[in-house]
Short mmCIF file of all heavy atoms in Angstrom, two decimals:
data_model
loop_
_atom_site.label_atom_id
_atom_site.label_comp_id
_atom_site.label_asym_id
_atom_site.label_seq_id
_atom_site.Cartn_x
_atom_site.Cartn_y
_atom_site.Cartn_z
N ALA A 1305 2.63 8.06 -10.92
CA ALA A 1305 2.86 9.27 -10.13
C ALA A 1305 4.26 9.25 -9.51
O ALA A 1305 4.94 10.27 -9.43
CB ALA A 1305 1.80 9.42 -9.05
N LEU A 1306 4.69 8.07 -9.09
CA LEU A 1306 6.02 7.92 -8.49
C LEU A 1306 7.10 8.37 -9.48
O LEU A 1306 8.02 9.10 -9.13
CB LEU A 1306 6.23 6.46 -8.09
CG LEU A 1306 7.56 6.10 -7.45
CD1 LEU A 1306 7.65 6.71 -6.06
CD2 LEU A 1306 7.69 4.58 -7.36
N PHE A 1307 6.97 7.94 -10.73
CA PHE A 1307 7.99 8.27 -11.72
C PHE A 1307 7.83 9.67 -12.29
O PHE A 1307 8.74 10.20 -12.91
CB PHE A 1307 8.04 7.22 -12.82
CG PHE A 1307 8.62 5.94 -12.32
CD1 PHE A 1307 7.83 4.84 -12.09
CD2 PHE A 1307 9.97 5.85 -12.01
CE1 PHE A 1307 8.37 3.67 -11.58
CE2 PHE A 1307 10.52 4.70 -11.51
CZ PHE A 1307 9.72 3.59 -11.30
N LYS A 1308 6.69 10.30 -12.05
CA LYS A 1308 6.52 11.71 -12.42
C LYS A 1308 6.94 12.61 -11.28
O LYS A 1308 6.76 13.81 -11.32
CB LYS A 1308 5.05 11.99 -12.78
CG LYS A 1308 4.61 11.41 -14.08
CD LYS A 1308 3.17 11.79 -14.36
CE LYS A 1308 2.71 11.23 -15.68
NZ LYS A 1308 1.30 11.58 -15.95
N HIS A 1309 7.49 11.97 -10.21
CA HIS A 1309 7.96 12.69 -9.03
C HIS A 1309 6.84 13.43 -8.31
O HIS A 1309 7.04 14.50 -7.76
CB HIS A 1309 9.11 13.64 -9.38
CG HIS A 1309 10.21 12.95 -10.10
ND1 HIS A 1309 10.93 11.92 -9.55
CD2 HIS A 1309 10.73 13.14 -11.34
CE1 HIS A 1309 11.83 11.50 -10.42
NE2 HIS A 1309 11.73 12.21 -11.51
N THR A 1310 5.65 12.83 -8.34
CA THR A 1310 4.52 13.37 -7.59
C THR A 1310 4.62 12.86 -6.16
O THR A 1310 4.98 11.71 -5.93
CB THR A 1310 3.20 12.90 -8.24
OG1 THR A 1310 3.21 13.29 -9.60
CG2 THR A 1310 2.01 13.50 -7.54
N ALA A 1311 4.28 13.70 -5.22
CA ALA A 1311 4.35 13.29 -3.82
C ALA A 1311 3.39 12.13 -3.56
O ALA A 1311 2.30 12.08 -4.12
CB ALA A 1311 3.98 14.46 -2.91
N PRO A 1312 3.82 11.16 -2.73
CA PRO A 1312 2.93 10.05 -2.39
C PRO A 1312 1.66 10.57 -1.69
O PRO A 1312 1.68 11.61 -1.05
CB PRO A 1312 3.75 9.20 -1.41
CG PRO A 1312 5.18 9.62 -1.61
CD PRO A 1312 5.13 11.04 -2.09
N GLU A 1313 0.55 9.83 -1.83
CA GLU A 1313 -0.70 10.17 -1.14
C GLU A 1313 -0.65 9.60 0.26
O GLU A 1313 -1.04 8.46 0.50
CB GLU A 1313 -1.89 9.61 -1.92
CG GLU A 1313 -2.12 10.27 -3.25
CD GLU A 1313 -3.32 9.71 -3.98
OE1 GLU A 1313 -4.28 9.23 -3.32
OE2 GLU A 1313 -3.31 9.74 -5.21
N MET A 1314 -0.13 10.39 1.18
CA MET A 1314 0.10 9.93 2.54
C MET A 1314 -1.20 9.84 3.34
O MET A 1314 -2.00 10.77 3.34
CB MET A 1314 1.08 10.85 3.26
CG MET A 1314 2.41 11.02 2.51
SD MET A 1314 3.28 9.48 2.34
CE MET A 1314 4.58 9.76 3.50
N VAL A 1315 -1.38 8.69 4.00
CA VAL A 1315 -2.52 8.46 4.88
C VAL A 1315 -1.99 7.77 6.14
O VAL A 1315 -0.88 7.24 6.16
CB VAL A 1315 -3.59 7.56 4.21
CG1 VAL A 1315 -4.16 8.24 2.97
CG2 VAL A 1315 -3.04 6.19 3.87
N ASP A 1316 -2.80 7.79 7.19
CA ASP A 1316 -2.47 7.00 8.37
C ASP A 1316 -2.69 5.54 8.01
O ASP A 1316 -3.80 5.16 7.63
CB ASP A 1316 -3.34 7.40 9.57
CG ASP A 1316 -2.96 8.76 10.11
OD1 ASP A 1316 -1.77 9.14 10.00
OD2 ASP A 1316 -3.84 9.46 10.64
N LEU A 1317 -1.65 4.73 8.14
CA LEU A 1317 -1.69 3.37 7.63
C LEU A 1317 -1.39 2.36 8.73
O LEU A 1317 -0.36 2.47 9.41
CB LEU A 1317 -0.67 3.23 6.49
CG LEU A 1317 -0.52 1.88 5.83
CD1 LEU A 1317 -1.82 1.48 5.12
CD2 LEU A 1317 0.62 1.92 4.82
N ASP A 1318 -2.28 1.39 8.89
CA ASP A 1318 -2.06 0.26 9.78
C ASP A 1318 -1.35 -0.81 8.96
O ASP A 1318 -1.97 -1.50 8.14
CB ASP A 1318 -3.41 -0.25 10.31
CG ASP A 1318 -3.27 -1.43 11.25
OD1 ASP A 1318 -2.25 -2.15 11.22
OD2 ASP A 1318 -4.21 -1.64 12.04
N ILE A 1319 -0.03 -0.94 9.15
CA ILE A 1319 0.78 -1.83 8.33
C ILE A 1319 0.37 -3.28 8.52
O ILE A 1319 0.39 -4.07 7.57
CB ILE A 1319 2.30 -1.61 8.58
CG1 ILE A 1319 3.13 -2.26 7.47
CG2 ILE A 1319 2.72 -2.13 9.93
CD1 ILE A 1319 3.09 -1.54 6.15
N ASN A 1320 -0.05 -3.67 9.73
CA ASN A 1320 -0.49 -5.05 9.96
C ASN A 1320 -1.74 -5.37 9.14
O ASN A 1320 -1.85 -6.44 8.55
CB ASN A 1320 -0.73 -5.31 11.44
CG ASN A 1320 0.56 -5.41 12.22
OD1 ASN A 1320 1.64 -5.63 11.68
ND2 ASN A 1320 0.46 -5.25 13.53
N LYS A 1321 -2.66 -4.43 9.10
CA LYS A 1321 -3.89 -4.61 8.31
C LYS A 1321 -3.54 -4.72 6.82
O LYS A 1321 -4.09 -5.55 6.10
CB LYS A 1321 -4.84 -3.44 8.56
CG LYS A 1321 -6.19 -3.60 7.94
CD LYS A 1321 -7.10 -2.44 8.35
CE LYS A 1321 -8.46 -2.55 7.70
NZ LYS A 1321 -9.33 -1.43 8.05
N LEU A 1322 -2.58 -3.91 6.37
CA LEU A 1322 -2.16 -3.95 4.97
C LEU A 1322 -1.51 -5.30 4.65
O LEU A 1322 -1.76 -5.87 3.58
CB LEU A 1322 -1.20 -2.80 4.66
CG LEU A 1322 -0.81 -2.65 3.19
CD1 LEU A 1322 -2.02 -2.21 2.37
CD2 LEU A 1322 0.32 -1.66 3.04
N ILE A 1323 -0.70 -5.82 5.56
CA ILE A 1323 -0.08 -7.14 5.35
C ILE A 1323 -1.16 -8.20 5.18
O ILE A 1323 -1.08 -9.04 4.28
CB ILE A 1323 0.88 -7.48 6.51
CG1 ILE A 1323 2.12 -6.58 6.46
CG2 ILE A 1323 1.28 -8.97 6.47
CD1 ILE A 1323 2.99 -6.65 7.70
N LEU A 1324 -2.16 -8.18 6.04
CA LEU A 1324 -3.24 -9.16 5.95
C LEU A 1324 -4.02 -9.02 4.63
O LEU A 1324 -4.43 -10.01 4.03
CB LEU A 1324 -4.17 -9.05 7.15
CG LEU A 1324 -3.52 -9.43 8.49
CD1 LEU A 1324 -4.48 -9.15 9.65
CD2 LEU A 1324 -3.05 -10.89 8.49
N GLN A 1325 -4.20 -7.78 4.16
CA GLN A 1325 -4.86 -7.56 2.87
C GLN A 1325 -4.04 -8.15 1.73
O GLN A 1325 -4.58 -8.77 0.81
CB GLN A 1325 -5.09 -6.07 2.63
CG GLN A 1325 -6.16 -5.46 3.51
CD GLN A 1325 -6.22 -3.94 3.39
OE1 GLN A 1325 -5.36 -3.30 2.79
NE2 GLN A 1325 -7.25 -3.36 3.99
N VAL A 1326 -2.72 -7.98 1.80
CA VAL A 1326 -1.84 -8.54 0.76
C VAL A 1326 -1.90 -10.07 0.80
O VAL A 1326 -1.94 -10.72 -0.25
CB VAL A 1326 -0.39 -8.02 0.91
CG1 VAL A 1326 0.58 -8.81 0.05
CG2 VAL A 1326 -0.34 -6.54 0.56
N CYS A 1327 -1.94 -10.65 2.00
CA CYS A 1327 -2.05 -12.11 2.12
C CYS A 1327 -3.34 -12.60 1.47
O CYS A 1327 -3.34 -13.63 0.77
CB CYS A 1327 -1.99 -12.53 3.58
SG CYS A 1327 -0.36 -12.28 4.34
N THR A 1328 -4.43 -11.88 1.66
CA THR A 1328 -5.70 -12.23 1.04
C THR A 1328 -5.61 -12.08 -0.48
O THR A 1328 -6.05 -12.95 -1.23
CB THR A 1328 -6.84 -11.35 1.59
OG1 THR A 1328 -6.93 -11.56 3.00
CG2 THR A 1328 -8.17 -11.68 0.94
N LEU A 1329 -5.01 -10.98 -0.92
CA LEU A 1329 -4.85 -10.72 -2.36
C LEU A 1329 -4.01 -11.79 -3.04
O LEU A 1329 -4.30 -12.19 -4.17
CB LEU A 1329 -4.19 -9.34 -2.54
CG LEU A 1329 -3.99 -8.82 -3.94
CD1 LEU A 1329 -5.33 -8.50 -4.59
CD2 LEU A 1329 -3.13 -7.56 -3.90
N MET A 1330 -3.00 -12.31 -2.34
CA MET A 1330 -2.08 -13.29 -2.92
C MET A 1330 -2.47 -14.73 -2.60
O MET A 1330 -1.75 -15.66 -2.94
CB MET A 1330 -0.67 -13.02 -2.40
CG MET A 1330 -0.12 -11.64 -2.73
SD MET A 1330 0.03 -11.35 -4.51
CE MET A 1330 1.30 -12.52 -4.93
N ALA A 1331 -3.63 -14.94 -1.94
CA ALA A 1331 -4.03 -16.27 -1.47
C ALA A 1331 -4.07 -17.32 -2.59
O ALA A 1331 -3.64 -18.46 -2.39
CB ALA A 1331 -5.38 -16.19 -0.76
N ASP A 1332 -4.57 -16.95 -3.76
CA ASP A 1332 -4.64 -17.91 -4.86
C ASP A 1332 -3.25 -18.37 -5.29
O ASP A 1332 -3.02 -19.56 -5.50
CB ASP A 1332 -5.40 -17.33 -6.05
CG ASP A 1332 -6.90 -17.22 -5.80
OD1 ASP A 1332 -7.40 -17.85 -4.84
OD2 ASP A 1332 -7.57 -16.48 -6.56
#
């Protein structure tokens, strides 16, 4: 969608929570 120039799907985002999710995702 980014390369088709579609607008991002904007939501209210807790960046700290997202960072912790990425840490869990990358834990292995």
Side-chain angles (χ1 to χ4, degrees):
L1306 180 70
F1307 289 107
K1308 288 182 179 179
H1309 307 299
T1310 304
E1313 292 181 29
M1314 305 299 252
V1315 298
D1316 288 330
L1317 179 64
D1318 180 337
I1319 195 73
N1320 287 341
K1321 188 175 178 181
L1322 186 68
I1323 290 168
L1324 294 174
Q1325 289 172 350
V1326 168
C1327 291
T1328 300
L1329 183 68
M1330 300 298 293
D1332 288 344

